[in-house]
């Protein structure tokens, strides 16, 4: 019954956005350049954890706990403007599942709190009034509604789609959607449990100019965009961009306090040094095509604390945006489709004893299959459970040693060539017209050292 409700809601809301759907669509490369040109923004972690003194509160915390008595999104926007920020990003739903907009998908929302006001609406109105762009944050992991590992249902996916449809339909143009709690080691909800490709294309259908960012940088290589339009780095989790070698549009996030959500100690605890935030983060990150988003957590009244306001004002006096950044290097399109090769049966020529074939499609870029040094022309293959249509193969090498290779697929027992070219670099992405087969293999003809493959992926991308 609930699944039917979500489906009707999704269909109904989709009909309400002709203005957004008819907006002039921009190329992804243009949107990525515009994103890095924004340079500096405000992350706003404000949700039910604000009132529990914990970033991950009890998922059964009642909606009545959310009670900001002096909520003023205009104060947030004024503070962002004083810091010379160009946008904000608000946590519409965090991991505990509480929605701070007027949603029709669940009773666990702000309209059933003492506030009874749509915080998302007030936020976007306030920030746009100051000439600031608006972005939204949304968590796939949802402990209140039991969207957790090993238990995702079709109904859960429909709820996610319905909630995202509301957010991308009812609040005007959204510059970017930051998604969290997905394909992370701590959330363990995979891109198959909640199909990434479906969500990605839903977002692009609703708002073609909305970038989708998944906070998953720790897992995937820094050389290509896997499952995101923008490469993200959470500094507090040990994720740091290479300021010398980065070639991708990127985002780096950090809280001005010690935690993402407000804590009782915040008003009397010094925030991070504004001078260091400007010189060591903002200036240096911008040089690497990386946008810096600084989290500022409103307190239980719904206001940013005085010490944070003072620090942001000081940052604004020290730093001003100096126009667009240099043009981004041309890069490959993001990978969004399901990886058919993941966990499938694999085979290879003689392997190094501790680096056998299973490691090249185990969904772990820190392990690899490595050829035994005695093999002159090694090969590696993945065998699907049945024949599949596919149009892309990715090879992520552990190192950069493979100099010449061939890609092939098996069609009815016959090996046929795929257009592989002579790509160099650690990550190689091969897109081609769709073929159908039951196996894919790489035959390595030249290598400067025993080749090692961290992951070989096979996909059927939407056109």
């Amino acid at each position: 019954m609930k699944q039917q409700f979500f489906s009707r809601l999704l269909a109904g809301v989709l009909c309400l956005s002709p203005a957004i759907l008819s907006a002039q669509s921009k190329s992804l490369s243009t949107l990525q350049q515009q994103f890095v040109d924004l340079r500096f923004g405000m992350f706003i972690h404000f949700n039910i954890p604000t009132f529990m003194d914990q970033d991950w509160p009890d998922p059964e915390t009642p909606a009545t706990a959310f009670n900001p008595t002096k909520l003023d999104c205009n104060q947030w926007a004024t503070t962002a403007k004083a810091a010379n920020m160009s946008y904000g990003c608000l946590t519409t739903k965090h991991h505990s599942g509480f929605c701070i907009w007027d949603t029709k998908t669940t009773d666990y929302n702000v309209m059933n709190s003492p506030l009874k006001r749509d915080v998302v609406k007030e936020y976007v109105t306030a920030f746009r009034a100051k000439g600031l762009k608006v972005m939204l944050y949304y968590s796939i992991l949802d402990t209140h509604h039991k969207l957790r590992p090993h238990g995702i249902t079709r109904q859960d996916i429909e709820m996610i789609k319905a909630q995202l449809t509301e957010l991308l339909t009812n609040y005007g143009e959204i510059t970017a959607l930051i998604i969290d709690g997905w394909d992370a080691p701590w959330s363990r909800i995979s891109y198959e449990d909640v199909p990434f490709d479906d969500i990605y294309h839903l977002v692009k259908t609703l708002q073609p100019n909305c970038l989708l960012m998944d906070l998953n940088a720790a897992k995937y290589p820094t050389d290509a965009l896997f499952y995101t339009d923008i490469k993200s780095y959470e500094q507090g989790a040990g994720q740091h961009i290479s300021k010398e070698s980065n070639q991708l549009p990127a985002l780096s996030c950090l809280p001005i306090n010690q935690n993402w959500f407000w804590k009782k100690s915040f008003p009397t605890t010094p925030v991070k040094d504004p001078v260091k935030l400007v010189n060591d983060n903002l200036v240096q990150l911008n040089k690497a095509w990386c946008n810096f988003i600084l989290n500022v957590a409103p307190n239980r009244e719904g206001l940013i604390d005085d010490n944070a306001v003072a620090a942001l004002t000081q940052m604004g006096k020290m730093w001003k945006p100096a126009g667009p950044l240099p043009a981004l290097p041309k890069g490959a399109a993001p990978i969004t489709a399901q990886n058919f090769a993941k966990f499938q049966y694999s085979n290879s020529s003689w392997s190094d004893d501790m680096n056998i074939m299973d490691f090249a499609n185990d969904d772990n870029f820190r392990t690899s299959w490595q050829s035994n040094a005695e093999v002159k022309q090694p090969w590696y293959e993945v065998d699907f459970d049945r024949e599949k249509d596919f149009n892309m193969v990715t090879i992520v090498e552990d190192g950069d040693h493979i100099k010449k290779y061939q890609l092939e697929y098996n069609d009815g027992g016959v090996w046929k060539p795929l257009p592989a070219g002579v790509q160099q670099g650690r990550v190689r992405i091969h897109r081609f017209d769709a073929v159908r087969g039951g196996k894919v293999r790489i035959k390595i003809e030249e290598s400067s050292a025993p080749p090692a493959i961290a992951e070989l992926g096979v996909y059927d991308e939407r056109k």
Side-chain angles (χ1 to χ4, degrees):
M1 207 57 188
K2 284 187 177 179
Q3 184 171 338
Q4 292 176 353
F5 166 75
F6 290 138
S7 298
R8 290 195 302 271
L9 177 62
L10 185 64
V13 177
L14 276 169
C15 296
L16 298 176
S17 55
I20 295 173
L21 288 170
S22 63
Q24 184 65 40
S25 181
K26 300 176 183 178
S27 69
L28 179 58
S29 60
T30 296
L31 294 170
Q32 290 168 328
Q33 183 70 50
Q34 290 176 345
F35 176 81
V36 297
D37 288 346
L38 290 175
R39 292 179 177 264
F40 187 29
M42 178 184 283
F43 219 162
I44 307 163
H45 274 63
F46 183 64
N47 205 287
I48 214 155
T50 305
F51 300 86
M52 305 305 295
D53 220 40
Q54 297 187 43
D55 282 2
W56 288 46
D58 183 345
E60 299 307 318
T61 300
T64 52
F66 187 82
N67 187 22
T69 54
K70 298 180 181 178
L71 175 66
D72 185 1
C73 295
N74 293 301
Q75 188 239 14
W76 307 353
T78 299
T79 304
K81 196 71 175 178
N84 285 314
M85 292 170 164
S86 55
Y87 67 92
C89 182
L90 175 66
T91 52
T92 64
K93 184 181 82 165
H94 201 252
H95 310 322
S96 52
F98 186 74
C99 300
I100 59 172
W101 75 95
D102 185 5
T103 179
K104 302 301 184 288
T105 63
T106 175
D107 292 337
Y108 198 52
N109 71 71
V110 69
M111 305 311 287
N112 291 311
S113 76
L115 183 66
K116 299 188 186 304
R117 287 157 50 190
D118 187 327
V119 181
V120 173
K121 183 178 180 180
E122 294 187 20
Y123 150 73
V124 300
T125 301
F127 271 65
R128 288 190 182 119
K130 293 290 185 181
L132 301 165
K133 302 286 187 184
V134 294
M135 304 181 190
L136 303 177
Y137 165 107
Y138 177 90
S139 174
I140 296 292
L141 178 69
D142 181 336
T143 54
H144 178 83
H145 297 96
K146 301 187 178 1
L147 275 68
R148 300 178 301 199
H150 314 300
I152 302 295
T153 66
R154 185 69 229 168
Q155 179 181 315
D156 295 333
I157 296 170
E158 290 301 314
M159 186 184 79
I160 290 168
K161 290 180 178 179
Q163 290 182 345
L164 291 176
T165 299
E166 289 178 336
L167 290 170
L168 294 175
T169 302
N170 297 334
Y171 301 97
E173 183 179 354
I174 306 301
T175 298
L177 178 70
I178 296 181
I179 294 189
D180 198 6
W182 201 7
D183 196 49
W186 45 268
S187 74
R188 294 170 291 126
I189 298 174
S190 76
Y191 290 144
E192 287 75 41
D193 294 332
V194 177
F196 184 91
D197 207 37
D198 287 356
I199 301 300
Y200 184 86
H201 285 89
L202 173 65
V203 170
K204 301 298 182 178
T205 298
L206 293 166
Q207 292 212 28
N209 293 331
C210 180
L211 292 163
L212 188 147
M213 279 178 278
D214 195 11
L215 298 178
N216 61 351
K219 176 176 178 178
Y220 292 95
T222 58
D223 316 64
L225 293 172
F226 284 82
Y227 304 100
T228 189
D229 288 332
I230 304 291
K231 195 71 175 175
S232 61
Y233 296 86
E234 185 179 335
Q235 293 188 39
Q239 302 170 20
H240 298 285
I241 192 171
S242 171
K243 298 171 185 174
E244 294 75 30
S245 62
N246 178 61
Q247 300 287 300
L248 300 175
L251 173 77
S252 182
C253 56
L254 186 72
I256 196 168
N257 303 99
Q258 293 303 308
N259 306 88
W260 293 101
F261 283 98
W262 188 85
K263 303 291 181 290
K264 294 176 182 177
S265 61
F266 280 10
T268 56
T269 302
V271 298
K272 291 183 174 66
D273 183 358
V275 176
K276 289 185 177 180
L277 287 172
V278 169
N279 294 332
D280 298 348
N281 281 276
L282 182 51
V283 172
Q284 296 303 317
L285 290 168
N286 282 179
K287 291 178 181 178
W289 294 293
C290 186
N291 188 320
F292 180 46
I293 185 167
L294 181 64
N295 186 72
V296 184
N299 59 33
R300 291 180 182 175
E301 292 183 322
L303 301 172
I304 297 172
D305 288 329
D306 290 343
N307 54 357
V309 171
L312 287 165
T313 302
Q314 184 179 345
M315 292 179 73
K317 292 177 180 177
M318 293 177 56
W319 177 89
K320 290 180 174 56
L325 295 171
L328 278 161
K330 186 176 180 180
I335 294 159
T336 65
Q338 178 181 347
N339 179 7
F340 294 147
K342 188 190 298 187
F343 304 131
Q344 296 298 303
Y345 179 80
S346 56
N347 199 7
S348 73
S349 54
W350 186 13
S351 305
D352 180 83
D353 289 346
M354 297 302 293
N355 300 86
I356 61 174
M357 64 286 296
D358 304 58
F359 291 126
N361 66 331
D362 63 351
D363 198 34
N364 184 345
F365 290 86
R366 290 172 173 77
T367 63
S368 60
W369 162 79
Q370 184 168 30
S371 174
N372 188 284
E374 296 296 317
V375 181
K376 302 306 178 188
Q377 290 194 318
W379 55 270
Y380 171 84
E381 73 179 42
V382 175
D383 187 348
F384 307 139
D385 55 353
R386 55 184 172 82
E387 289 202 341
K388 298 177 182 289
D389 295 318
F390 57 93
N391 57 15
M392 181 171 67
V393 173
T394 61
I395 303 159
V396 179
E397 195 180 347
D398 184 359
D400 184 10
H401 302 296
I402 298 174
K403 304 305 177 187
K404 187 177 179 182
Y405 59 98
Q406 292 184 8
L407 283 176
E408 298 178 328
Y409 72 103
N410 192 284
D411 177 11
V414 178
W415 285 104
K416 298 179 179 180
L418 288 169
V422 288
Q423 290 190 31
Q424 300 299 317
R426 180 173 177 240
V427 179
R428 305 159 202 233
I429 301 172
H430 301 282
R431 289 178 164 96
F432 41 83
D433 291 336
V435 298
R436 186 173 182 83
K439 299 179 183 180
V440 170
R441 77 178 174 188
I442 177 173
K443 295 167 66 177
I444 300 163
E445 298 174 341
E446 293 181 20
S447 183
S448 60
I453 296 176
E455 288 292 310
L456 186 143
V458 180
Y459 315 80
D460 185 24
E461 285 199 311
R462 300 190 198 191
K463 296 298 187 184

